[in-house]
């Protein structure tokens, strides 16, 4: 599960605020480089929200939300606590910037962008207006059958996000999406290598303990995993770690 981050506004001071023209192209290139240097998906999200308020015209705050089909919302990264939200939006609950009208979130399943011009003029935008957030620009980062990941910029003044801001936002989120995918793949490959090494160590221990060959040791490991309904890597971790019985029923030593 992704960690949650809040970032300091003092970071990335060397990037111009709201660049245009060739300066914008250079700024997006620098932003892409920084996103790809983050190393992990969590750090990519953290970097993205801070870069968003420097690159997207009109943005005062930014956050990245994860939304599922049940409209449960969770903030993965945020620039400050004003735009942090965790849990499920409920009538009568404490106001949060995520408390939009549900139709706005639903639109993001089919549209890449949702824009609120003035929350004070929108009868469904009371939660936003109550926090002093008058404009919103939400840009979809990822979408699958179960959940959305959305980068959302907020502004304290109405009509802060025009068509130019939206275009810049879409360019920026394209870079964020690529960097996020790259970081996720790196993490998955790293975990796969760790899992392979762990299973290899466990197989070696079983070969010595049961006096069998590698194929027989791996087969014993797989059978125990299925019998005890334990993931193979977790079972291997138990074997490699401090000795102890496998939870429930026969141990892996019993073929």
């Amino acid at each position: 599960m992704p960690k949650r981050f809040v970032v300091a506004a003092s970071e990335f001071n060397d990037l111009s605020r709201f660049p245009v023209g060739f300066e914008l192209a250079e700024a997006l290139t620098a932003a892409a480089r920084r996103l790809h240097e983050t190393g992990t998906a969590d750090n990519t999200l953290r970097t993205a929200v801070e870069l968003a308020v420097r690159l997207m015209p009109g943005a005062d705050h930014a956050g990245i939300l994860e939304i599922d089909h049940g409209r449960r919302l969770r903030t993965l990264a945020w620039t400050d606590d004003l735009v942090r939200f965790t849990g499920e939006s409920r009538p009568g609950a404490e106001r949060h910037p995520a408390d939009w009208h549900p139709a706005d979130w639903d639109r993001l399943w089919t549209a890449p962008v949702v824009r609120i011009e003035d929350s004070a003029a929108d009868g469904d935008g009371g939660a936003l207006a109550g926090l002093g957030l008058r404009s919103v620009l939400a840009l979809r980062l990822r979408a699958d059958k179960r959940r959305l990941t959305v980068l959302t910029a907020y502004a304290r003044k109405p009509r802060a996000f025009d068509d130019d801001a939206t275009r810049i936002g879409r360019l920026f989120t394209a870079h964020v999406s690529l960097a996020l995918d790259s970081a996720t793949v790196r993490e998955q490959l790293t975990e796969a290598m760790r899992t392979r090494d762990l299973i290899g160590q466990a197989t070696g221990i079983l070969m010595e303990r049961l006096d069998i060959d590698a194929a027989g040791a791996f087969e014993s490991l797989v059978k125990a995993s299925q019998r005890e309904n334990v993931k193979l890597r977790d079972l291997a971790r138990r074997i490699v770690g401090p000795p102890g019985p496998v939870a429930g029923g026969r141990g892996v030593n019993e073929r």
Side-chain angles (χ1 to χ4, degrees):
M1 182 179 293
K3 297 176 183 177
R4 300 171 187 173
F5 288 97
V6 59
V7 298
S10 60
E11 296 183 35
F12 308 112
N13 285 333
D14 55 325
L15 279 179
S16 300
R17 192 104 193 264
F18 310 151
V20 295
F22 286 115
E23 190 181 26
L24 172 61
E26 292 176 353
L28 284 171
T29 300
R33 187 179 302 116
R34 294 192 179 194
L35 288 165
H36 282 279
E37 289 172 350
T38 55
T40 68
D42 292 329
N43 285 338
T44 300
L45 296 172
R46 175 182 180 274
T47 301
V49 292
E50 179 60 27
L51 289 172
V53 297
R54 302 204 66 83
L55 293 175
M56 294 170 61
D60 295 314
H61 315 277
I64 294 179
L65 287 167
E66 187 178 78
I67 311 161
D68 68 18
H69 270 296
R71 292 174 180 159
R72 285 183 293 270
L73 313 174
R74 192 163 58 92
T75 310
L76 304 179
W78 56 91
T79 51
D80 46 83
D81 284 339
L82 181 64
V83 295
R84 177 185 176 184
F85 177 80
T86 305
E88 184 174 1
S89 179
R90 299 181 304 276
E94 182 183 356
R95 286 183 170 183
H96 294 278
D99 288 333
W100 302 7
H101 190 274
D104 290 319
W105 291 124
D106 289 345
R107 285 163 57 198
L108 285 163
W109 289 97
T110 55
V113 179
V114 169
R115 198 163 75 189
I116 294 178
E117 299 288 339
D118 186 357
S119 61
D122 183 350
D124 297 321
L128 291 165
L131 292 168
L133 302 174
R134 299 288 296 277
S135 305
V136 179
L137 178 61
L139 302 127
R140 190 175 64 204
L141 282 174
R142 282 178 166 177
D144 58 33
K145 293 180 179 180
R146 296 182 299 166
R147 64 180 64 90
L148 290 169
T149 307
V150 180
L151 171 65
T152 307
Y154 304 89
R156 291 185 289 269
K157 67 178 184 179
R159 292 172 290 279
F161 302 116
D162 57 13
D163 290 342
D164 287 339
T166 301
R167 281 192 289 269
I168 292 170
R170 294 194 68 181
L171 285 171
F172 175 63
T173 52
H175 286 295
V176 176
S177 295
L178 289 171
L180 193 56
D181 287 344
S182 178
T184 300
V185 169
R186 286 197 301 270
E187 288 183 327
Q188 290 172 344
L189 289 174
T190 299
E191 179 61 25
M193 290 175 65
R194 289 173 180 167
T195 298
R196 183 195 64 183
D197 292 343
L198 191 63
I199 291 173
Q201 292 176 49
T203 299
I205 291 171
L206 291 179
M207 288 172 65
E208 181 178 359
R209 189 177 295 171
L210 302 176
D211 192 23
I212 54 178
D213 61 15
F218 183 73
E219 183 180 359
S220 294
L221 193 62
V222 171
K223 285 182 178 179
S225 170
Q226 294 171 342
R227 183 173 61 244
E228 307 299 339
N229 194 27
V230 177
K231 289 183 178 180
L232 196 61
R233 68 170 181 268
D234 293 336
L235 186 59
R237 190 175 290 112
R238 293 183 186 182
I239 295 169
V240 172
V246 177
R250 291 176 292 162
V252 72
N253 293 339
E254 301 178 52
R255 288 182 285 170

